[in-house]
Amino acid sequence: MTTTEIATKLSEVQALEAAHVLQIYRRTPVVFVRGSGSRLYDDEGREFLDLVSGIGVASLGHANPALARALADQAATLAHTSNLYFHPLQGEVARRLAALSGLPRVFFCNSGTEAVEACLKFARRYWHAQGSPRTKIVAFDHAFHGRTAGSLSATWDAHYRDPFAPLVPGVTWVSPKDPVALAAAVTAETAAIIVEPIQGEGGVRPIPLETARTIRELSDQTGALVIADEVQSGLGRTGVPLYSSVLGLKPDLVAVGKALGAGMPAGAALFSQRVADQAAPGDHGTTNGGNLLACRAALVFLEALTEGGLMTHVAETGRHLRARLETLAAKHRAIIEVRGAGLIWGLELDRDATPVIEAAFERRLLVNRTAGTVVRLLPPLIISTADLDEGIARLDEAFAACKLS
């Protein structure tokens, strides 16, 4: 089959998916067929301004020329060999991730949830090696860590978990605003505390500094490991490599994904040396994780992040976006809080956010709803201030159309 034979019209795509694709997504009725930078184009040629970036995945924007050239070159050379053999790219990606994070060891996988899964497994593996197994995990209200069995077990919202129960036992949730409850939950049986420095799916909620300080103190007191889930907040999204550093956290394990592959499936679990020292051959594995194609994409992204000035760009555009969002909030009383950092922001509304998302879509602006009442913005990291201004203008129109002022 050639690409010209593949259905692209909305009605045709919907019919084909209805017949053959597992029906687990509530898709917006649009078919995107190409992109450029912060723009997407549908099958009718309409242009959309994208402030979702594939839920933070299209970190370098759409159809990035450097990424396209690198992937074409790698695909024409060698794409996959499996982890049975060495190849020349994993070590270099790992070196760069270690330099960014301060954690010296990396396990490559295909997604954020797999990275979290690895962190949870090796937290238990660490304590098993100590001869005094610990299995309990402390997580936070509003947490979302993924959809595989282990990461789902640490995800707070019961509507995600209940259809798949029983899941991995031993998880306790506490409010991220209640350090006292956190102190009570962490005991000598706690293997790890898992925390999203900014809770993305849970409503773009940065963890309070006091809670981060309590996590550090409890880790020192009890030995519980700290897992930072930076799948959404990490790798430059906030203008720094990892947002856990802003909070003063020193995690033993970090999960990253989304932005790392700039559109290719890529994730990684980052290890402190003391946790890595307890790993042995055969403890974990993956068939596709860290293959040459994914690593080539990761290298393009990491080079842009650290050598191409992308992190500085995010910090600057993030400050601009924050100011524009605060002005928007002052204008529309339905916005009760603006939360975030860099290029991850949430607008908490006093009602369901769906009408605003739909009104924005009508104005060819892509934002999305999370946690029911939050409008989430995750633009590509390469976005310009001009595109951000245009996006806020369209969002302003969407709020006005909903008569929420």
Side-chain angles (χ1 to χ4, degrees), residues 142 177 201-205 325 329 332-340 345-353 356 368 370-377 399 404:
H142 305 290
K177 296 181 179 180
E201 198 70 22
V204 191
R205 304 173 191 272
L325 291 173
H332 298 284
R333 288 178 293 177
I335 303 173
I336 59 176
E337 189 175 9
V338 178
R339 298 190 295 260
W345 290 94
L347 303 177
E348 178 83 48
L349 308 188
D350 62 3
R351 65 200 75 191
D352 181 68
V356 176
N368 86 311
T370 191
T373 57
V374 176
V375 177
R376 178 171 53 176
L377 294 83
F399 273 99
L404 299 180

PDB file of all heavy atoms in Angstrom, residues 142 177 201-205 325 329 332-340 345-353 356 368 370-377 399 404:
ATOM      1  N   HIS A 142      -4.167  13.157  43.320  1.00  0.00           N
ATOM      2  CA  HIS A 142      -4.106  13.760  41.983  1.00  0.00           C
ATOM      3  C   HIS A 142      -2.967  13.210  41.131  1.00  0.00           C
ATOM      4  O   HIS A 142      -2.767  13.662  39.995  1.00  0.00           O
ATOM      5  CB  HIS A 142      -4.008  15.288  42.042  1.00  0.00           C
ATOM      6  CG  HIS A 142      -5.100  15.939  42.825  1.00  0.00           C
ATOM      7  ND1 HIS A 142      -6.406  15.986  42.376  1.00  0.00           N
ATOM      8  CD2 HIS A 142      -5.099  16.546  44.034  1.00  0.00           C
ATOM      9  CE1 HIS A 142      -7.158  16.607  43.261  1.00  0.00           C
ATOM     10  NE2 HIS A 142      -6.386  16.945  44.291  1.00  0.00           N
ATOM     11  N   LYS A 177      -0.643  18.646  49.961  1.00  0.00           N
ATOM     12  CA  LYS A 177      -0.688  19.851  50.791  1.00  0.00           C
ATOM     13  C   LYS A 177      -0.683  19.541  52.284  1.00  0.00           C
ATOM     14  O   LYS A 177      -0.899  20.417  53.109  1.00  0.00           O
ATOM     15  CB  LYS A 177      -1.937  20.670  50.447  1.00  0.00           C
ATOM     16  CG  LYS A 177      -1.948  21.200  49.018  1.00  0.00           C
ATOM     17  CD  LYS A 177      -3.190  22.030  48.742  1.00  0.00           C
ATOM     18  CE  LYS A 177      -3.177  22.586  47.319  1.00  0.00           C
ATOM     19  NZ  LYS A 177      -4.390  23.402  47.030  1.00  0.00           N
ATOM     20  N   GLU A 201      -1.304  15.426  34.515  1.00  0.00           N
ATOM     21  CA  GLU A 201      -2.663  14.950  34.240  1.00  0.00           C
ATOM     22  C   GLU A 201      -3.604  15.291  35.389  1.00  0.00           C
ATOM     23  O   GLU A 201      -4.807  15.445  35.193  1.00  0.00           O
ATOM     24  CB  GLU A 201      -2.637  13.436  34.006  1.00  0.00           C
ATOM     25  CG  GLU A 201      -3.849  12.886  33.300  1.00  0.00           C
ATOM     26  CD  GLU A 201      -3.931  13.294  31.843  1.00  0.00           C
ATOM     27  OE1 GLU A 201      -2.890  13.642  31.252  1.00  0.00           O
ATOM     28  OE2 GLU A 201      -5.047  13.262  31.291  1.00  0.00           O
ATOM     29  N   GLY A 202      -3.063  15.442  36.585  1.00  0.00           N
ATOM     30  CA  GLY A 202      -3.873  15.757  37.750  1.00  0.00           C
ATOM     31  C   GLY A 202      -4.263  17.212  37.863  1.00  0.00           C
ATOM     32  O   GLY A 202      -4.867  17.616  38.861  1.00  0.00           O
ATOM     33  N   GLY A 203      -3.918  18.034  36.858  1.00  0.00           N
ATOM     34  CA  GLY A 203      -4.377  19.417  36.873  1.00  0.00           C
ATOM     35  C   GLY A 203      -3.282  20.465  36.896  1.00  0.00           C
ATOM     36  O   GLY A 203      -3.529  21.609  37.248  1.00  0.00           O
ATOM     37  N   VAL A 204      -2.056  20.100  36.495  1.00  0.00           N
ATOM     38  CA  VAL A 204      -0.901  21.009  36.492  1.00  0.00           C
ATOM     39  C   VAL A 204      -0.750  21.625  37.891  1.00  0.00           C
ATOM     40  O   VAL A 204      -0.953  22.818  38.101  1.00  0.00           O
ATOM     41  CB  VAL A 204      -1.012  22.096  35.403  1.00  0.00           C
ATOM     42  CG1 VAL A 204       0.319  22.839  35.274  1.00  0.00           C
ATOM     43  CG2 VAL A 204      -1.398  21.488  34.053  1.00  0.00           C
ATOM     44  N   ARG A 205      -0.395  20.777  38.839  1.00  0.00           N
ATOM     45  CA  ARG A 205      -0.278  21.169  40.242  1.00  0.00           C
ATOM     46  C   ARG A 205       1.166  21.011  40.713  1.00  0.00           C
ATOM     47  O   ARG A 205       1.620  19.891  40.971  1.00  0.00           O
ATOM     48  CB  ARG A 205      -1.189  20.314  41.123  1.00  0.00           C
ATOM     49  CG  ARG A 205      -2.662  20.338  40.730  1.00  0.00           C
ATOM     50  CD  ARG A 205      -3.460  19.327  41.539  1.00  0.00           C
ATOM     51  NE  ARG A 205      -4.794  19.158  41.008  1.00  0.00           N
ATOM     52  CZ  ARG A 205      -5.841  19.900  41.350  1.00  0.00           C
ATOM     53  NH1 ARG A 205      -5.692  20.849  42.252  1.00  0.00           N
ATOM     54  NH2 ARG A 205      -7.027  19.679  40.806  1.00  0.00           N
ATOM     55  N   LEU A 325      -1.081  34.700  30.642  1.00  0.00           N
ATOM     56  CA  LEU A 325      -2.138  33.920  31.285  1.00  0.00           C
ATOM     57  C   LEU A 325      -2.689  34.638  32.516  1.00  0.00           C
ATOM     58  O   LEU A 325      -3.899  34.586  32.790  1.00  0.00           O
ATOM     59  CB  LEU A 325      -1.608  32.536  31.671  1.00  0.00           C
ATOM     60  CG  LEU A 325      -1.309  31.594  30.502  1.00  0.00           C
ATOM     61  CD1 LEU A 325      -0.628  30.333  31.005  1.00  0.00           C
ATOM     62  CD2 LEU A 325      -2.585  31.247  29.728  1.00  0.00           C
ATOM     63  N   ALA A 329      -6.490  35.677  33.139  1.00  0.00           N
ATOM     64  CA  ALA A 329      -7.233  35.320  34.344  1.00  0.00           C
ATOM     65  C   ALA A 329      -7.871  36.543  34.993  1.00  0.00           C
ATOM     66  O   ALA A 329      -8.983  36.464  35.540  1.00  0.00           O
ATOM     67  CB  ALA A 329      -6.316  34.617  35.337  1.00  0.00           C
ATOM     68  N   HIS A 332     -11.121  37.182  32.958  1.00  0.00           N
ATOM     69  CA  HIS A 332     -12.217  36.201  32.969  1.00  0.00           C
ATOM     70  C   HIS A 332     -12.349  35.603  34.368  1.00  0.00           C
ATOM     71  O   HIS A 332     -11.481  34.855  34.816  1.00  0.00           O
ATOM     72  CB  HIS A 332     -11.944  35.107  31.936  1.00  0.00           C
ATOM     73  CG  HIS A 332     -11.877  35.616  30.533  1.00  0.00           C
ATOM     74  ND1 HIS A 332     -12.998  35.964  29.810  1.00  0.00           N
ATOM     75  CD2 HIS A 332     -10.802  35.860  29.729  1.00  0.00           C
ATOM     76  CE1 HIS A 332     -12.622  36.391  28.604  1.00  0.00           C
ATOM     77  NE2 HIS A 332     -11.314  36.339  28.535  1.00  0.00           N
ATOM     78  N   ARG A 333     -13.430  35.929  35.030  1.00  0.00           N
ATOM     79  CA  ARG A 333     -13.611  35.525  36.427  1.00  0.00           C
ATOM     80  C   ARG A 333     -13.753  34.021  36.600  1.00  0.00           C
ATOM     81  O   ARG A 333     -13.585  33.501  37.711  1.00  0.00           O
ATOM     82  CB  ARG A 333     -14.824  36.240  37.013  1.00  0.00           C
ATOM     83  CG  ARG A 333     -14.594  37.731  37.267  1.00  0.00           C
ATOM     84  CD  ARG A 333     -15.841  38.401  37.793  1.00  0.00           C
ATOM     85  NE  ARG A 333     -16.892  38.421  36.783  1.00  0.00           N
ATOM     86  CZ  ARG A 333     -18.121  38.890  36.988  1.00  0.00           C
ATOM     87  NH1 ARG A 333     -18.452  39.358  38.178  1.00  0.00           N
ATOM     88  NH2 ARG A 333     -19.019  38.880  36.014  1.00  0.00           N
ATOM     89  N   ALA A 334     -14.059  33.305  35.539  1.00  0.00           N
ATOM     90  CA  ALA A 334     -14.169  31.849  35.632  1.00  0.00           C
ATOM     91  C   ALA A 334     -12.821  31.191  35.906  1.00  0.00           C
ATOM     92  O   ALA A 334     -12.768  30.063  36.390  1.00  0.00           O
ATOM     93  CB  ALA A 334     -14.764  31.277  34.346  1.00  0.00           C
ATOM     94  N   ILE A 335     -11.728  31.898  35.614  1.00  0.00           N
ATOM     95  CA  ILE A 335     -10.389  31.366  35.890  1.00  0.00           C
ATOM     96  C   ILE A 335     -10.050  31.702  37.341  1.00  0.00           C
ATOM     97  O   ILE A 335      -9.875  32.862  37.694  1.00  0.00           O
ATOM     98  CB  ILE A 335      -9.338  31.971  34.947  1.00  0.00           C
ATOM     99  CG1 ILE A 335      -9.715  31.729  33.480  1.00  0.00           C
ATOM    100  CG2 ILE A 335      -7.951  31.384  35.248  1.00  0.00           C
ATOM    101  CD1 ILE A 335      -8.817  32.441  32.483  1.00  0.00           C
ATOM    102  N   ILE A 336      -9.951  30.690  38.170  1.00  0.00           N
ATOM    103  CA  ILE A 336      -9.729  30.939  39.590  1.00  0.00           C
ATOM    104  C   ILE A 336      -8.268  30.740  40.010  1.00  0.00           C
ATOM    105  O   ILE A 336      -7.868  31.162  41.087  1.00  0.00           O
ATOM    106  CB  ILE A 336     -10.652  30.067  40.461  1.00  0.00           C
ATOM    107  CG1 ILE A 336     -10.428  28.576  40.191  1.00  0.00           C
ATOM    108  CG2 ILE A 336     -12.105  30.449  40.232  1.00  0.00           C
ATOM    109  CD1 ILE A 336     -11.255  27.658  41.094  1.00  0.00           C
ATOM    110  N   GLU A 337      -7.457  30.101  39.150  1.00  0.00           N
ATOM    111  CA  GLU A 337      -6.042  29.944  39.474  1.00  0.00           C
ATOM    112  C   GLU A 337      -5.247  29.659  38.210  1.00  0.00           C
ATOM    113  O   GLU A 337      -5.729  28.962  37.301  1.00  0.00           O
ATOM    114  CB  GLU A 337      -5.835  28.806  40.483  1.00  0.00           C
ATOM    115  CG  GLU A 337      -4.420  28.737  41.037  1.00  0.00           C
ATOM    116  CD  GLU A 337      -4.233  27.688  42.118  1.00  0.00           C
ATOM    117  OE1 GLU A 337      -5.161  26.884  42.338  1.00  0.00           O
ATOM    118  OE2 GLU A 337      -3.154  27.672  42.728  1.00  0.00           O
ATOM    119  N   VAL A 338      -4.041  30.214  38.147  1.00  0.00           N
ATOM    120  CA  VAL A 338      -3.084  29.935  37.078  1.00  0.00           C
ATOM    121  C   VAL A 338      -1.913  29.189  37.709  1.00  0.00           C
ATOM    122  O   VAL A 338      -1.290  29.683  38.646  1.00  0.00           O
ATOM    123  CB  VAL A 338      -2.602  31.231  36.409  1.00  0.00           C
ATOM    124  CG1 VAL A 338      -1.564  30.923  35.334  1.00  0.00           C
ATOM    125  CG2 VAL A 338      -3.775  32.004  35.816  1.00  0.00           C
ATOM    126  N   ARG A 339      -1.605  27.984  37.205  1.00  0.00           N
ATOM    127  CA  ARG A 339      -0.550  27.161  37.808  1.00  0.00           C
ATOM    128  C   ARG A 339       0.407  26.655  36.742  1.00  0.00           C
ATOM    129  O   ARG A 339      -0.024  26.312  35.633  1.00  0.00           O
ATOM    130  CB  ARG A 339      -1.158  25.949  38.529  1.00  0.00           C
ATOM    131  CG  ARG A 339      -2.086  26.263  39.671  1.00  0.00           C
ATOM    132  CD  ARG A 339      -2.417  24.993  40.428  1.00  0.00           C
ATOM    133  NE  ARG A 339      -3.169  24.039  39.627  1.00  0.00           N
ATOM    134  CZ  ARG A 339      -4.487  23.869  39.688  1.00  0.00           C
ATOM    135  NH1 ARG A 339      -5.221  24.615  40.501  1.00  0.00           N
ATOM    136  NH2 ARG A 339      -5.083  22.955  38.934  1.00  0.00           N
ATOM    137  N   GLY A 340       1.684  26.560  37.092  1.00  0.00           N
ATOM    138  CA  GLY A 340       2.632  25.947  36.189  1.00  0.00           C
ATOM    139  C   GLY A 340       3.996  26.595  36.241  1.00  0.00           C
ATOM    140  O   GLY A 340       4.334  27.333  37.156  1.00  0.00           O
ATOM    141  N   TRP A 345       1.313  24.744  31.728  1.00  0.00           N
ATOM    142  CA  TRP A 345       0.414  25.615  32.484  1.00  0.00           C
ATOM    143  C   TRP A 345      -0.990  25.041  32.529  1.00  0.00           C
ATOM    144  O   TRP A 345      -1.442  24.377  31.590  1.00  0.00           O
ATOM    145  CB  TRP A 345       0.375  27.025  31.872  1.00  0.00           C
ATOM    146  CG  TRP A 345       1.644  27.749  32.087  1.00  0.00           C
ATOM    147  CD1 TRP A 345       2.717  27.825  31.235  1.00  0.00           C
ATOM    148  CD2 TRP A 345       2.030  28.459  33.279  1.00  0.00           C
ATOM    149  NE1 TRP A 345       3.738  28.528  31.821  1.00  0.00           N
ATOM    150  CE2 TRP A 345       3.346  28.941  33.061  1.00  0.00           C
ATOM    151  CE3 TRP A 345       1.388  28.743  34.481  1.00  0.00           C
ATOM    152  CZ2 TRP A 345       4.036  29.680  34.014  1.00  0.00           C
ATOM    153  CZ3 TRP A 345       2.074  29.489  35.435  1.00  0.00           C
ATOM    154  CH2 TRP A 345       3.380  29.937  35.196  1.00  0.00           C
ATOM    155  N   GLY A 346      -1.658  25.312  33.639  1.00  0.00           N
ATOM    156  CA  GLY A 346      -3.049  24.945  33.790  1.00  0.00           C
ATOM    157  C   GLY A 346      -3.864  26.127  34.269  1.00  0.00           C
ATOM    158  O   GLY A 346      -3.419  26.873  35.147  1.00  0.00           O
ATOM    159  N   LEU A 347      -5.037  26.304  33.688  1.00  0.00           N
ATOM    160  CA  LEU A 347      -5.988  27.312  34.144  1.00  0.00           C
ATOM    161  C   LEU A 347      -7.121  26.597  34.859  1.00  0.00           C
ATOM    162  O   LEU A 347      -7.895  25.869  34.231  1.00  0.00           O
ATOM    163  CB  LEU A 347      -6.556  28.106  32.953  1.00  0.00           C
ATOM    164  CG  LEU A 347      -5.551  28.821  32.051  1.00  0.00           C
ATOM    165  CD1 LEU A 347      -6.279  29.491  30.886  1.00  0.00           C
ATOM    166  CD2 LEU A 347      -4.746  29.836  32.846  1.00  0.00           C
ATOM    167  N   GLU A 348      -7.169  26.734  36.170  1.00  0.00           N
ATOM    168  CA  GLU A 348      -8.246  26.129  36.959  1.00  0.00           C
ATOM    169  C   GLU A 348      -9.486  26.997  36.820  1.00  0.00           C
ATOM    170  O   GLU A 348      -9.463  28.197  37.100  1.00  0.00           O
ATOM    171  CB  GLU A 348      -7.839  26.030  38.421  1.00  0.00           C
ATOM    172  CG  GLU A 348      -8.914  25.456  39.329  1.00  0.00           C
ATOM    173  CD  GLU A 348      -8.947  23.933  39.315  1.00  0.00           C
ATOM    174  OE1 GLU A 348      -7.877  23.314  39.447  1.00  0.00           O
ATOM    175  OE2 GLU A 348     -10.060  23.379  39.166  1.00  0.00           O
ATOM    176  N   LEU A 349     -10.589  26.390  36.389  1.00  0.00           N
ATOM    177  CA  LEU A 349     -11.854  27.101  36.238  1.00  0.00           C
ATOM    178  C   LEU A 349     -12.792  26.777  37.394  1.00  0.00           C
ATOM    179  O   LEU A 349     -12.603  25.782  38.115  1.00  0.00           O
ATOM    180  CB  LEU A 349     -12.533  26.721  34.920  1.00  0.00           C
ATOM    181  CG  LEU A 349     -11.701  26.839  33.641  1.00  0.00           C
ATOM    182  CD1 LEU A 349     -12.596  26.607  32.417  1.00  0.00           C
ATOM    183  CD2 LEU A 349     -10.980  28.160  33.548  1.00  0.00           C
ATOM    184  N   ASP A 350     -13.802  27.587  37.542  1.00  0.00           N
ATOM    185  CA  ASP A 350     -14.800  27.327  38.580  1.00  0.00           C
ATOM    186  C   ASP A 350     -15.914  26.421  38.070  1.00  0.00           C
ATOM    187  O   ASP A 350     -16.961  26.306  38.701  1.00  0.00           O
ATOM    188  CB  ASP A 350     -15.382  28.646  39.104  1.00  0.00           C
ATOM    189  CG  ASP A 350     -16.109  29.440  38.025  1.00  0.00           C
ATOM    190  OD1 ASP A 350     -16.215  28.965  36.870  1.00  0.00           O
ATOM    191  OD2 ASP A 350     -16.568  30.564  38.330  1.00  0.00           O
ATOM    192  N   ARG A 351     -15.686  25.771  36.940  1.00  0.00           N
ATOM    193  CA  ARG A 351     -16.674  24.882  36.319  1.00  0.00           C
ATOM    194  C   ARG A 351     -15.952  23.940  35.360  1.00  0.00           C
ATOM    195  O   ARG A 351     -14.742  24.035  35.184  1.00  0.00           O
ATOM    196  CB  ARG A 351     -17.715  25.710  35.558  1.00  0.00           C
ATOM    197  CG  ARG A 351     -17.130  26.473  34.361  1.00  0.00           C
ATOM    198  CD  ARG A 351     -17.998  27.615  33.921  1.00  0.00           C
ATOM    199  NE  ARG A 351     -17.879  28.737  34.849  1.00  0.00           N
ATOM    200  CZ  ARG A 351     -18.687  29.799  34.823  1.00  0.00           C
ATOM    201  NH1 ARG A 351     -19.675  29.863  33.944  1.00  0.00           N
ATOM    202  NH2 ARG A 351     -18.511  30.788  35.676  1.00  0.00           N
ATOM    203  N   ASP A 352     -16.701  23.051  34.738  1.00  0.00           N
ATOM    204  CA  ASP A 352     -16.126  22.121  33.768  1.00  0.00           C
ATOM    205  C   ASP A 352     -15.472  22.897  32.614  1.00  0.00           C
ATOM    206  O   ASP A 352     -16.012  23.907  32.134  1.00  0.00           O
ATOM    207  CB  ASP A 352     -17.213  21.205  33.220  1.00  0.00           C
ATOM    208  CG  ASP A 352     -16.665  20.205  32.234  1.00  0.00           C
ATOM    209  OD1 ASP A 352     -15.907  19.314  32.653  1.00  0.00           O
ATOM    210  OD2 ASP A 352     -16.974  20.325  31.024  1.00  0.00           O
ATOM    211  N   ALA A 353     -14.307  22.428  32.178  1.00  0.00           N
ATOM    212  CA  ALA A 353     -13.535  23.148  31.158  1.00  0.00           C
ATOM    213  C   ALA A 353     -13.919  22.773  29.733  1.00  0.00           C
ATOM    214  O   ALA A 353     -13.443  23.411  28.785  1.00  0.00           O
ATOM    215  CB  ALA A 353     -12.044  22.883  31.365  1.00  0.00           C
ATOM    216  N   VAL A 356     -14.852  25.499  27.035  1.00  0.00           N
ATOM    217  CA  VAL A 356     -13.724  26.331  26.614  1.00  0.00           C
ATOM    218  C   VAL A 356     -12.853  25.582  25.607  1.00  0.00           C
ATOM    219  O   VAL A 356     -12.404  26.152  24.598  1.00  0.00           O
ATOM    220  CB  VAL A 356     -12.884  26.771  27.830  1.00  0.00           C
ATOM    221  CG1 VAL A 356     -11.648  27.550  27.387  1.00  0.00           C
ATOM    222  CG2 VAL A 356     -13.722  27.600  28.781  1.00  0.00           C
ATOM    223  N   ASN A 368      -6.155  21.394  25.876  1.00  0.00           N
ATOM    224  CA  ASN A 368      -6.962  20.257  26.302  1.00  0.00           C
ATOM    225  C   ASN A 368      -7.399  20.381  27.756  1.00  0.00           C
ATOM    226  O   ASN A 368      -6.877  21.200  28.518  1.00  0.00           O
ATOM    227  CB  ASN A 368      -6.254  18.924  26.040  1.00  0.00           C
ATOM    228  CG  ASN A 368      -5.319  18.502  27.142  1.00  0.00           C
ATOM    229  OD1 ASN A 368      -4.490  19.275  27.592  1.00  0.00           O
ATOM    230  ND2 ASN A 368      -5.446  17.257  27.569  1.00  0.00           N
ATOM    231  N   THR A 370      -8.029  18.713  31.470  1.00  0.00           N
ATOM    232  CA  THR A 370      -7.574  17.665  32.368  1.00  0.00           C
ATOM    233  C   THR A 370      -8.147  17.925  33.758  1.00  0.00           C
ATOM    234  O   THR A 370      -8.486  19.063  34.099  1.00  0.00           O
ATOM    235  CB  THR A 370      -6.038  17.576  32.388  1.00  0.00           C
ATOM    236  OG1 THR A 370      -5.644  16.390  33.076  1.00  0.00           O
ATOM    237  CG2 THR A 370      -5.411  18.782  33.047  1.00  0.00           C
ATOM    238  N   ALA A 371      -8.283  16.864  34.534  1.00  0.00           N
ATOM    239  CA  ALA A 371      -8.837  16.962  35.893  1.00  0.00           C
ATOM    240  C   ALA A 371     -10.185  17.681  35.898  1.00  0.00           C
ATOM    241  O   ALA A 371     -10.553  18.319  36.882  1.00  0.00           O
ATOM    242  CB  ALA A 371      -7.854  17.659  36.827  1.00  0.00           C
ATOM    243  N   GLY A 372     -10.908  17.594  34.820  1.00  0.00           N
ATOM    244  CA  GLY A 372     -12.276  18.107  34.774  1.00  0.00           C
ATOM    245  C   GLY A 372     -12.394  19.602  34.571  1.00  0.00           C
ATOM    246  O   GLY A 372     -13.064  20.065  33.651  1.00  0.00           O
ATOM    247  N   THR A 373     -11.739  20.374  35.410  1.00  0.00           N
ATOM    248  CA  THR A 373     -11.942  21.821  35.418  1.00  0.00           C
ATOM    249  C   THR A 373     -10.708  22.611  34.993  1.00  0.00           C
ATOM    250  O   THR A 373     -10.660  23.821  35.163  1.00  0.00           O
ATOM    251  CB  THR A 373     -12.355  22.285  36.833  1.00  0.00           C
ATOM    252  OG1 THR A 373     -11.336  21.879  37.764  1.00  0.00           O
ATOM    253  CG2 THR A 373     -13.681  21.690  37.239  1.00  0.00           C
ATOM    254  N   VAL A 374      -9.711  21.934  34.419  1.00  0.00           N
ATOM    255  CA  VAL A 374      -8.447  22.602  34.095  1.00  0.00           C
ATOM    256  C   VAL A 374      -8.233  22.636  32.587  1.00  0.00           C
ATOM    257  O   VAL A 374      -8.332  21.607  31.902  1.00  0.00           O
ATOM    258  CB  VAL A 374      -7.259  21.897  34.780  1.00  0.00           C
ATOM    259  CG1 VAL A 374      -5.933  22.546  34.366  1.00  0.00           C
ATOM    260  CG2 VAL A 374      -7.419  21.948  36.298  1.00  0.00           C
ATOM    261  N   VAL A 375      -7.931  23.829  32.068  1.00  0.00           N
ATOM    262  CA  VAL A 375      -7.467  23.995  30.695  1.00  0.00           C
ATOM    263  C   VAL A 375      -5.951  23.877  30.732  1.00  0.00           C
ATOM    264  O   VAL A 375      -5.270  24.673  31.382  1.00  0.00           O
ATOM    265  CB  VAL A 375      -7.878  25.360  30.112  1.00  0.00           C
ATOM    266  CG1 VAL A 375      -7.322  25.526  28.696  1.00  0.00           C
ATOM    267  CG2 VAL A 375      -9.395  25.515  30.115  1.00  0.00           C
ATOM    268  N   ARG A 376      -5.412  22.869  30.029  1.00  0.00           N
ATOM    269  CA  ARG A 376      -3.963  22.619  30.075  1.00  0.00           C
ATOM    270  C   ARG A 376      -3.302  23.084  28.783  1.00  0.00           C
ATOM    271  O   ARG A 376      -3.812  22.852  27.685  1.00  0.00           O
ATOM    272  CB  ARG A 376      -3.679  21.132  30.286  1.00  0.00           C
ATOM    273  CG  ARG A 376      -2.196  20.791  30.307  1.00  0.00           C
ATOM    274  CD  ARG A 376      -1.916  19.361  30.731  1.00  0.00           C
ATOM    275  NE  ARG A 376      -2.651  18.382  29.953  1.00  0.00           N
ATOM    276  CZ  ARG A 376      -2.515  17.059  30.084  1.00  0.00           C
ATOM    277  NH1 ARG A 376      -1.686  16.573  31.003  1.00  0.00           N
ATOM    278  NH2 ARG A 376      -3.220  16.228  29.344  1.00  0.00           N
ATOM    279  N   LEU A 377      -2.137  23.723  28.933  1.00  0.00           N
ATOM    280  CA  LEU A 377      -1.334  24.174  27.809  1.00  0.00           C
ATOM    281  C   LEU A 377       0.043  23.524  27.892  1.00  0.00           C
ATOM    282  O   LEU A 377       0.746  23.669  28.902  1.00  0.00           O
ATOM    283  CB  LEU A 377      -1.177  25.703  27.809  1.00  0.00           C
ATOM    284  CG  LEU A 377      -2.431  26.548  27.569  1.00  0.00           C
ATOM    285  CD1 LEU A 377      -3.223  26.729  28.861  1.00  0.00           C
ATOM    286  CD2 LEU A 377      -2.052  27.921  27.009  1.00  0.00           C
ATOM    287  N   PHE A 399     -13.046  32.038  25.693  1.00  0.00           N
ATOM    288  CA  PHE A 399     -13.681  32.352  26.960  1.00  0.00           C
ATOM    289  C   PHE A 399     -14.845  33.319  26.757  1.00  0.00           C
ATOM    290  O   PHE A 399     -15.924  33.149  27.336  1.00  0.00           O
ATOM    291  CB  PHE A 399     -12.667  32.961  27.943  1.00  0.00           C
ATOM    292  CG  PHE A 399     -11.915  31.953  28.742  1.00  0.00           C
ATOM    293  CD1 PHE A 399     -10.629  31.562  28.374  1.00  0.00           C
ATOM    294  CD2 PHE A 399     -12.473  31.381  29.875  1.00  0.00           C
ATOM    295  CE1 PHE A 399      -9.927  30.624  29.111  1.00  0.00           C
ATOM    296  CE2 PHE A 399     -11.778  30.444  30.624  1.00  0.00           C
ATOM    297  CZ  PHE A 399     -10.500  30.059  30.241  1.00  0.00           C
ATOM    298  N   LEU A 404     -18.097  33.462  29.943  1.00  0.00           N
ATOM    299  CA  LEU A 404     -17.613  33.129  31.286  1.00  0.00           C
ATOM    300  C   LEU A 404     -17.014  34.321  32.010  1.00  0.00           C
ATOM    301  O   LEU A 404     -16.540  34.186  33.134  1.00  0.00           O
ATOM    302  CB  LEU A 404     -16.541  32.025  31.172  1.00  0.00           C
ATOM    303  CG  LEU A 404     -16.997  30.694  30.552  1.00  0.00           C
ATOM    304  CD1 LEU A 404     -15.850  29.711  30.513  1.00  0.00           C
ATOM    305  CD2 LEU A 404     -18.178  30.104  31.309  1.00  0.00           C
TER     306      LEU A 404
END
